[in-house]
Amino acid sequence: MGLLFEVKRGAVHDGPGWRTTAFFKGCPLSCPWCHNPEGISSEKEIWFVASRCVGCQNCVSVCPRGVPAPAAGQLGPAYGSACTVCGRCVDGCPVGSRAIVGMERTAEQLVQELARDRAFFARSGGGVTISGGEPLSQLDFLLEVLSACRKAGLNTALDTSGYAPRRDFLQAAALCDLVLFDLKHLDESRHEETTGVPLTPILENLHALDEEGANLWIRYPLIPGFNDDQSTLSRLADLVLRLRSKPLVCLLPYHRAGQEKYARLGRSDPMGDTEAPGETSVENVATRLANSGLMVRIGG
Amino acid sequence: MRERIKCLREQSLSAQPSVSAERAVLMTRFYKENAGKYPPAVLRGLAFRHLCAHKELYIGPRELLVGERGPVPKACPTFPELTCHTMEDLRTLAGRERTSYYVPDEVYEVYDSEVIPYWRGRSLRDRMWEGLTPAWLQAYQAGVFTEFMEQRAPGHTAADDKPFRLGLEDLRVQIGHKIEELDWERDRSAPGKLFQLRGMDLAAQAAMLWAWRHADMAEAMAEEEGDPERRAELKRIAANCRRVPARAPQDFWEALQAYWFHHLAVITELNGWDAFSPGHLDQHLEPFYQRDISAGNLSREGAKELLSCLWIKFNNQPAPPKVGVTAAESGTYNDFVNINLGGLRADGSDGTGDVSELILEVADELRLLQPQVNLQVSRRTPDSLLESACRVVVHGHGFPAFFNADMVVGQLLRQGKTLEDARRGGTSGCVESGAFGKEAYILSGYLNLPKLLELTLFDGTDPLTGSKCGPSTGDPGTFSSFDELMAAWGGQLEHALAVKFHGNALVQHLYATDMPAPYLSLLIEDCIVDGTDYNAGGARYDTTYVQGVGVGTLTDSLSALREHVFHRGTVEMRDVLAALADDFRGREPLRQFLVNRTPRYGNDDHRADELMKDAFEKLFRMVDEKPAPRGGTYRINMLPTTSHIYFGAKTGATPDGRRAGKPLSEGISPVQGADRHGPTAVMRSAAMMDHAKTGGTLLNMKFAPEVIAGVEGTRRLAALVRAYFDLGGHHVQFNVVGAEVLRAAQARPEEHRGLLVRVAGYSDFFCDLSRELQDEIISRTELGRVS
C-alpha cells in the first residue's frame, strides 16, 4: 500500500508525450519553492478551498473534536494537534470545499488507474511518470508499481530528487525508461541549508546512474536569487557536460501557482512575495546554457 | 499573399451582409404570371431560368473567379416562396445586435408593396401549419425540439466528383435518354418522372445561360479594359464561363469556376441547409493540378491564388437571413460549407495529395469565416498532413476540425451504403456523415434531451409555462428505483419523437410535392436515373436525422438523481423538485452539493459514463431504422450548432445544479467546467458512446496555447486526435485561445473583431456571438492551464 496525493492525467510537463503522473506523498527535502507542498508530509492532511466555502458551519458541527472552522480571510484550517484527519468534515461539506490530501492505493489499483490512458501513451510516446514528493521514500511500493508498469508494457519515468541510498536508487532507476533527475543547487552548503539535505549523495547517485548508461533528463528549477546566478549556472553546465549520457536539461522556472496550495493547507508560503522570473530572463538563462553546449528546454 | 488576394479578402471582410430583394421581386413577378400553369418541377425549372436570365451580374475588379448569388458580394437574396419575411422580420434583421443584416429602404418598400401581398398565405412556411397538431405546437413552443425546414429547404448534402467530371450538357443528354426510356405502359409514375426530368433540364439550361451571360459581360469588359494584363484575364474568364459548367472542366482554373457555378445554382434555386459543399475538394482538384503543373500552365503560387479566389467567393455568401427559433438554433452568418481534406479514395487508399497541403495553407492565410475546412483522418493519413493541420489549429482560429475517416466509413456502411460510396463520403455541415453526391441526409430538428427529463420530473408539464406538453409518466416522488425514472424519461422521449415524426412527415411532404429542387437533383445520384426529385426521395440514399442535444447535462442530472436520491438516499426527491421549481433560490448548499458531489460525465468515471450510454442507446433505439419521409430512414446524430443556448433558455434548473436558462452542454462535450481530469479523460468518456451508431458527434475542446505550442505540442495534439479515433471517436475540434483573450474581446469587441473561435461544428467571430454564448465558450474548461 502506498500513499499518494494525486494522479494527474493528461500531464504534459513530466516527460515526453501525454502522461499520467502519480504523485507520491512524503519528501525528505524541504525546498521552500516547492509547488506541491502537499507532497512534503508523509501524513494525510486536510485541504480547504476557501473560495468555495459558503460559511454553513456544517464542518464544525460534524467534527468529533470540535475543531473550529477557519474564519473568513484566515489562512486555511488552523487545526493544530486537535485534528485527527478523520475526514468527517470532508463528507459533511455540501460544497466540496474540503478534501483529504493523501490516498492509499495498492500497486495493482494504481497501475490499473495509470494504464487507463494507454491509447494516448501509445500515440504520443508518452507513459507513466512517478513523481512526488519523493517516490524513493516509499521504496517497496515504488518498486512494486514500476515492475507492474513494466509488466503491463507501460513506459515509465521517475521524477526524483536523487536523495536516497545508492542501492535503492539504482534499483528503482533500473525499472524505468527515463529518469527525471532534479538538481537544485551545485554548492554543498547552499544546498543543505535550503533543502535540508546534503548535496554529495545526490551527485554520487547522479554519476552512478550516468555510469549505468541510463536515459536521463536533468530538471533544474530556476529560483530567483537562489540558483540563477552566473557562477551556479556555470557549475551546472560543467557538471552536465561531464555526464556521459549528455542529458537534456529542463529549466523549470519558479511560478506562483503553489501559493494557493499553501493557503489550502493552512500554511504560509515560504517564498513570500518572490516574483516569478520574467520570460526574457528565463530565455537568457536557456541561451547561456545552450551556448555552453547543453541541450536545454524551458519547461518539463 | 498576393496583392490581388489581399484586396479581394479585405473587400469581402469589410462588406456588411445585407438583404437584397432582387430574387424576391423576380420570383414574385414570375409566380404572379406563371403559378398554376405548370407542374411544380417544371415551374421550378422555369422559375430558376427566369432568375438566371434576369438577375444582375457582378464581375468585380481583379476577380479571377466570377459569380455572386446577390447583386454584389455579401448581399443575400431572400426566398419568399419558402419564408416571406414580415416587415417586423426585416426590422429585426436590421436591428438585432448580432448577425444583423443591412436592409436598404427599397427592400422595405418592395416587400410592403409587392412581395408580402403576394406571398402571405402562399409561402411554404405559412402553409406548413396545415395538419400540424396542437401537440406539435406545444412541444415546439416549449423548446422540446426545433424544426429545420420552417425557413430553409432540406439541402444538407455535398458533391462527389460529378461537377469536375461532367458538364451540364452531359447531364442533359442523360436526361434526354431517360425521357425516351420512360415506360408509359407499366410505370404509373411516368408522367411525374417526365415533369421532374423536364424541370431538371430547364434548370441545367438556366445555369448555362447564367454562365454565358457572365461570358458576355466579361468579353464586353475586356473590350473596355485599358490594362492589357487585366484584359487577358477578362478574356480568360469569358472563355471559362463559355465552357463551364456547360461542359466538363479541362484545367484547374476551369474546375474551380465550374464548381462555383454549380454551387451558386444550388444556393440560388433554394436556400437549402448548409449551402452546398464540394466534398473532397483536394481529391477532385488533384488531377487538374498535377496536369497543369507538369504542363507548365500553372505554378504552385498561381494555384493558391485561384484557390484563394474561391475561398473569398464562399465568404461572400453569408447564410440567408434567419429569424425566430431558426435564428436562435443557428445564429451565425456561417452557412456551413465544409471542405474535406485527406480521407480515403474509393479504392481505400489515402486521399492526400499536394492540393491538401495547398488548401490548408490557403485557409490558414486567409482566415475567413467561410468555408470551413476539416481533415478526414484515416489510419492511412500521413502524420505530415495531420501535423500540418495541427499547426494551423495552434494559430487559434478553430480550424481545421478533425474527423475519423475510418469511422465515417463505418457509419455509412452500417447504414447500408456500398463500400465505395462510403469511402467517397465524408463530412458536411457541422459533423454530418454522408455519401457525397448520392445521399440526402437531412437534419430535421434538434431534440432537447434535458427538457425531456424536466418533463419527466414534472409529470409531463413544462414548469416554465405550465403547458402540458408531455404525457403523464408518473409522480417522480413515488418512484422507488432509478430504473423507474429512466423508464419515465423513455416515455417522454417516445412521445416527443412521435410528435416530431408526425411534423416531419407533413413538412417534408410539402417540399416533396411543391418545392422540388431540380438543379440539386442534377448533381445527386440517382435523381436523373429515377426521374425523381432530391426533395422527393430521388437520392440513392435518403436519411432523416434527429439531433440529440445536451447529453452532458442530461447525464449529470441523471447521475445526481441516481447517486443522491436513489443510491445514497442523502437527498429527497421532493427537495430536488422544490429546488428545481424555484431555480435553487435559497438552496445554494444543495445546488453546490449536486454540482460537486455527483459523478459527472467527462471524467472517465464509469458511474456517469454508463448513464450517458444508457440514455444514448435509448435514443438510438427509438429513432434508428424507423421509416422516414421520402421513403428514407431515420438516424440520430449528436450536434447542437447554437441550439444548446436556445434550449438552455427554454429549460428550467436541472438536477446537475445548472440554473434555469443557462446553456446546456454542447455536442457530446461534458457540461462546461464539469470535466476535471484533463483531455484524455474527456475523450475516454466521449468514446463510451458508440459513435458508429450515429451520423456524427461533436466534441469541443479548448486549449491554452502553451499546451500545444512548438513542435512537441503539435505532435501531442496530433497524438490526441489519433488516440481519440483509436478509441472510436468521430470528431474533435480545438479552440486554442486563452480565457483572458476572450474576456478582453468581450470587453472591447472593437479590438477583437477578427477573433475566430470554434463554436460547434463551425468557427465564428467571437464578437458576433451572443453574450451567453461568449460566456459559455469562456467557461468551457480551459484544459492544461496551471490551476
Side-chain angles (χ1 to χ4, degrees):
Chain A
M1 200 70 102
L3 188 69
L4 290 89
F5 66 87
E6 196 185 355
V7 174
K8 184 176 167 53
R9 297 171 60 175
V12 294
H13 299 299
D14 303 317
W18 289 103
R19 307 196 75 82
T20 299
T21 304
F23 293 92
F24 283 31
K25 195 156 159 48
C27 183
L29 279 66
S30 48
C31 314
W33 57 81
C34 184
H35 67 258
N36 287 330
E38 72 275 39
I40 297 174
S41 160
S42 55
E43 304 288 329
K44 290 186 184 178
E45 291 163 277
I46 291 282
W47 177 262
F48 170 65
V49 183
S51 58
R52 284 200 194 160
C53 176
V54 287
C56 70
Q57 299 287 315
N58 209 38
C59 48
V60 184
S61 58
V62 298
C63 179
R65 318 270 307 239
V67 175
Q74 186 190 334
L75 257 189
Y79 305 107
S81 57
C83 175
T84 59
V85 198
C86 70
R88 284 194 207 165
C89 58
V90 174
D91 292 334
C93 176
V95 298
S97 75
R98 308 164 78 82
I100 292 180
V101 196
M103 50 196 187
E104 277 131 3
R105 290 282 186 279
T106 65
E108 196 190 333
Q109 286 169 334
L110 179 59
V111 174
Q112 217 168 44
E113 200 172 339
L114 296 175
R116 285 194 155 196
D117 280 343
R118 191 187 281 280
F120 300 90
F121 304 157
R123 284 293 189 176
S124 65
V128 167
T129 299
I130 311 292
S131 182
E134 172 50 63
L136 284 157
S137 58
Q138 299 182 54
L139 182 71
D140 293 343
F141 180 64
L142 174 66
L143 295 177
E144 213 183 325
V145 169
L146 288 174
S147 314
C149 283
R150 182 147 281 190
K151 217 166 144 191
L154 298 168
N155 172 296
T156 51
L158 175 67
D159 182 16
T160 174
S161 67
Y163 185 70
R166 173 87 46 84
R167 202 170 141 269
D168 297 357
F169 176 75
L170 290 179
Q171 201 183 349
L175 287 169
C176 296
D177 299 292
L178 171 68
V179 176
L180 307 172
F181 198 105
D182 300 351
L183 278 177
K184 328 281 191 193
H185 206 284
L186 280 305
D187 179 83
E188 180 68 56
S189 60
R190 283 286 274 157
H191 190 279
E192 188 156 1
E193 75 190 29
T194 313
T195 69
V197 302
L199 177 63
T200 309
I202 292 176
L203 289 182
E204 284 172 3
N205 276 344
L206 175 63
H207 286 294
L209 185 68
D210 187 52
E211 285 299 312
E212 306 255 315
N215 186 15
L216 182 66
W217 290 7
I218 301 290
R219 310 231 291 179
Y220 189 75
L222 200 62
I223 313 300
F226 172 64
N227 62 5
D228 62 346
D229 57 289
Q230 304 249 352
S231 86
T232 310
L233 291 170
S234 303
R235 288 171 75 174
L236 172 69
D238 290 345
L239 171 74
V240 173
L241 284 172
R242 283 201 310 274
L243 295 174
R244 292 199 331 192
S245 56
K246 302 277 169 276
L248 174 71
V249 176
C250 302
L251 290 177
L252 310 177
Y254 170 73
H255 63 81
R256 310 278 301 141
Q259 195 174 34
E260 171 70 18
K261 290 187 168 185
Y262 283 98
R264 289 174 182 187
L265 290 166
R267 298 191 211 138
S268 57
D269 182 356
M271 293 296 277
D273 292 330
T274 309
E275 291 287 329
E279 227 170 275
T280 350
S281 73
V282 176
E283 272 162 22
N284 287 343
V285 171
T287 312
R288 261 180 49 102
L289 290 175
N291 287 343
S292 50
L294 303 191
M295 263 196 311
V296 185
R297 174 158 93 194
I298 298 168
Chain B
M1 201 186 302
R2 290 187 176 176
E3 199 51 42
R4 178 200 314 273
I5 301 305
K6 267 189 203 155
C7 272
L8 291 171
R9 176 180 181 273
E10 186 48 45
Q11 184 195 13
S12 182
L13 283 176
S14 56
Q16 153 81 355
S18 62
V19 173
S20 157
E22 181 192 39
R23 187 184 180 285
V25 170
L26 283 169
M27 286 308 262
T28 305
R29 292 179 188 165
F30 176 84
Y31 265 79
K32 268 187 186 164
E33 179 71 26
N34 294 290
K37 291 185 184 171
Y38 307 94
V42 176
L43 184 75
R44 289 303 295 174
L46 287 167
F48 182 53
R49 198 171 69 180
H50 182 71
L51 281 177
C52 290
H54 295 98
K55 73 176 281 348
E56 203 177 311
L57 303 185
Y58 174 87
I59 297 179
R62 313 185 84 163
E63 283 192 331
L64 297 177
L65 297 176
V66 298
E68 286 290 334
R69 171 162 64 171
V72 290
K74 284 197 163 171
C76 271
T78 52
F79 298 75
E81 66 269 42
L82 302 178
T83 303
C84 181
H85 293 109
T86 61
M87 297 303 279
E88 184 58 36
D89 286 340
L90 294 174
R91 280 188 287 271
T92 302
L93 285 170
R96 68 188 176 199
E97 200 184 334
R98 316 278 169 179
T99 57
S100 63
Y101 291 75
Y102 170 65
V103 183
D105 287 345
E106 58 267 28
V107 173
Y108 290 106
E109 283 158 23
V110 77
Y111 256 75
D112 197 30
S113 64
E114 218 177 323
V115 178
I116 295 174
Y118 180 76
W119 288 107
R120 187 53 63 236
R122 285 189 177 87
S123 79
L124 204 125
R125 192 185 188 205
D126 288 349
R127 293 161 49 214
M128 187 181 94
W129 309 103
E130 187 69 38
L132 283 177
T133 57
W136 187 94
L137 204 61
Q138 270 181 316
Y140 179 74
Q141 284 170 345
V144 174
F145 51 68
T146 65
E147 171 50 56
F148 261 56
M149 263 71 82
E150 58 116 17
Q151 290 175 41
R152 296 192 65 174
H156 284 297
T157 194
D160 58 8
D161 59 354
K162 217 177 193 182
F164 303 89
R165 191 165 46 81
L166 296 174
L168 289 168
E169 293 284 17
D170 301 308
L171 299 176
R172 293 192 64 204
V173 171
Q174 285 181 18
I175 290 170
H177 288 320
K178 223 48 237 179
I179 290 177
E180 279 171 30
E181 287 165 12
L182 283 175
D183 182 351
W184 291 94
E185 278 177 38
R186 271 163 301 192
D187 185 356
R188 279 193 299 168
S189 52
K193 288 180 178 173
L194 175 70
F195 298 139
Q196 295 295 344
L197 289 164
R198 279 207 185 137
M200 292 182 213
D201 191 55
L202 285 163
Q205 291 177 36
M208 284 157 54
L209 175 65
W210 195 5
W212 291 334
R213 288 182 62 217
H214 280 90
D216 294 342
M217 182 176 172
E219 270 158 24
M221 286 170 77
E223 292 299 315
E224 304 281 304
E225 179 62 52
D227 173 19
E229 211 174 305
R230 182 60 184 160
R231 193 183 315 134
E233 284 171 4
L234 285 164
K235 284 191 168 159
R236 176 66 209 262
I237 289 168
N240 287 350
C241 297
R242 206 55 83 194
R243 182 171 176 91
V244 296
R247 284 178 286 159
Q250 302 181 112
D251 64 15
F252 194 80
W253 195 343
E254 282 183 9
L256 295 176
Q257 183 67 64
Y259 177 75
W260 186 244
F261 275 125
H262 288 301
H263 186 93
L264 280 183
V266 171
I267 66 172
T268 303
E269 133 179 282
L270 281 174
N271 63 1
W273 276 101
D274 300 344
F276 192 49
S277 163
H280 288 286
L281 185 62
D282 55 348
Q283 293 187 29
H284 302 323
L285 292 175
E286 189 73 20
F288 295 101
Y289 178 75
Q290 296 300 346
R291 254 199 325 267
D292 285 4
I293 289 275
S294 48
N297 299 332
L298 183 72
S299 65
R300 193 175 190 279
E301 281 309 302
K304 271 179 76 175
E305 184 173 42
L306 287 167
L307 277 170
S308 301
C309 287
L310 180 66
W311 251 241
I312 290 162
K313 281 291 175 195
F314 281 119
N315 197 59
N316 284 349
Q317 325 299 324
K322 295 163 263 191
V323 293
V325 173
T326 299
E329 74 176 354
S330 178
T332 174
Y333 292 128
N334 200 322
D335 212 12
F336 307 108
V337 176
N338 207 335
I339 288 174
N340 291 237
L341 301 180
L344 296 166
R345 295 180 201 278
D347 64 1
S349 63
D350 174 37
T352 306
D354 292 343
V355 179
S356 317
E357 290 277 358
L358 221 53
I359 288 179
L360 267 183
E361 282 174 35
V362 166
D364 193 23
E365 283 169 20
L366 292 185
R367 293 175 190 183
L368 298 169
L369 180 65
Q370 310 188 77
Q372 310 295 302
V373 178
N374 73 72
L375 183 64
Q376 299 278 315
V377 183
S378 85
R379 279 185 287 269
R380 295 187 166 170
T381 303
D383 285 338
S384 56
L385 182 65
L386 176 56
E387 284 173 19
S388 293
C390 288
R391 275 192 292 278
V392 177
V393 167
V394 174
H395 293 159
H397 302 279
F399 61 80
F402 299 92
F403 289 90
N404 183 350
D406 303 308
M407 175 56 71
V408 170
V409 170
Q411 291 164 348
L412 296 177
L413 283 177
R414 192 193 73 80
Q415 298 175 352
K417 277 97 179 170
T418 67
L419 184 59
E420 285 73 20
D421 287 352
R423 284 174 175 158
R424 285 199 186 98
T427 306
S428 66
C430 286
V431 298
E432 298 91 291
S433 304
F436 290 169
K438 295 156 199 85
E439 185 179 10
Y441 40 118
I442 312 297
L443 304 191
S444 70
Y446 296 113
L447 181 66
N448 186 344
L449 302 173
K451 183 81 194 174
L452 296 173
L453 179 62
E454 185 176 41
L455 293 178
T456 310
L457 293 175
F458 292 90
D459 199 15
T461 301
D462 177 12
L464 298 187
T465 59
S467 147
K468 176 92 173 125
C469 53
S472 291
T473 45
D475 170 7
T478 66
F479 292 168
S480 56
S481 73
F482 179 72
D483 290 348
E484 269 183 70
L485 179 78
M486 271 311 270
W489 181 76
Q492 295 295 339
L493 176 64
E494 194 168 12
H495 176 263
L497 287 170
V499 173
K500 175 66 180 150
F501 289 174
H502 177 102
N504 284 355
L506 285 163
V507 174
Q508 297 191 30
H509 174 75
L510 270 184
Y511 279 95
T513 55
D514 293 13
M515 210 49 77
Y519 196 88
L520 181 57
S521 303
L522 289 166
L523 299 177
I524 305 298
E525 315 272 1
D526 302 311
C527 296
I528 296 177
V529 174
D530 290 347
T532 309
D533 189 80
Y534 179 87
N535 286 351
R540 182 173 300 169
Y541 308 106
D542 204 301
T543 312
T544 300
Y545 280 101
V546 172
Q547 306 101 252
V549 174
V551 76
T553 303
L554 173 71
T555 301
D556 289 0
S557 298
L558 290 172
S559 180
L561 294 173
R562 186 173 72 169
E563 179 77 7
H564 307 304
V565 176
F566 293 103
H567 182 51
R568 295 189 187 275
T570 42
V571 180
E572 291 286 325
M573 180 64 99
R574 307 228 168 267
D575 290 340
V576 177
L577 296 179
L580 296 183
D582 220 13
D583 194 15
F584 292 108
R585 260 181 292 273
R587 292 181 167 90
E588 184 60 16
L590 174 63
R591 195 182 79 81
Q592 288 287 346
F593 181 78
L594 295 170
V595 167
N596 292 300
R597 292 306 187 94
T598 297
R600 303 186 73 178
Y601 169 68
N603 295 292
D604 194 15
D605 182 334
H606 283 237
R607 292 172 296 174
D609 296 349
E610 290 291 345
L611 285 175
M612 179 279 288
K613 254 181 104 160
D614 286 352
F616 169 82
E617 292 289 336
K618 258 200 164 68
L619 173 65
F620 170 76
R621 281 196 302 275
M622 286 191 199
V623 175
D624 193 68
E625 291 290 343
K626 295 275 188 300
R630 297 178 305 278
T633 311
Y634 272 112
R635 308 283 182 200
I636 59 165
N637 57 21
M638 306 297 280
L639 69 113
T641 315
T642 58
S643 69
H644 60 296
I645 305 283
Y646 164 68
F647 279 162
K650 288 279 190 180
T651 307
T654 38
D656 63 339
R658 176 190 143 280
R659 286 188 184 280
K662 296 288 176 199
L664 306 180
S665 61
E666 47 76 32
I668 60 164
S669 311
V671 167
Q672 299 77 357
D675 53 314
R676 292 174 185 175
H677 292 96
T680 59
V682 170
M683 285 179 156
R684 276 181 50 95
S685 283
M688 286 287 285
M689 182 180 282
D690 190 349
H691 296 236
K693 289 176 175 163
T694 72
T697 63
L698 187 147
L699 178 63
N700 246 313
M701 288 190 154
K702 193 164 73 172
F703 278 99
E706 60 267 26
V707 179
I708 50 173
V711 180
E712 270 187 66
T714 305
R715 295 215 175 111
R716 208 176 277 139
L717 194 63
L720 200 64
V721 171
R722 292 266 197 206
Y724 181 51
F725 292 171
D726 288 343
L727 293 172
H730 167 82
H731 153 275
V732 61
Q733 61 196 11
F734 304 100
N735 262 317
V736 184
V737 62
E740 63 277 9
V741 173
L742 297 178
R743 279 194 206 96
Q746 207 172 36
R748 297 181 303 281
E750 65 285 357
E751 294 169 26
H752 298 86
R753 285 284 174 210
L755 179 61
L756 270 176
V757 291
R758 200 79 190 162
V759 179
Y762 63 95
S763 296
D764 209 333
F765 288 112
F766 184 75
C767 300
D768 283 347
L769 304 175
S770 69
R771 177 80 189 195
E772 299 82 73
L773 190 53
Q774 290 181 348
D775 287 341
E776 193 259 334
I777 287 179
I778 292 172
S779 74
R780 282 180 199 163
T781 309
E782 198 175 52
L783 299 157
R785 191 165 282 274
V786 176
S787 58

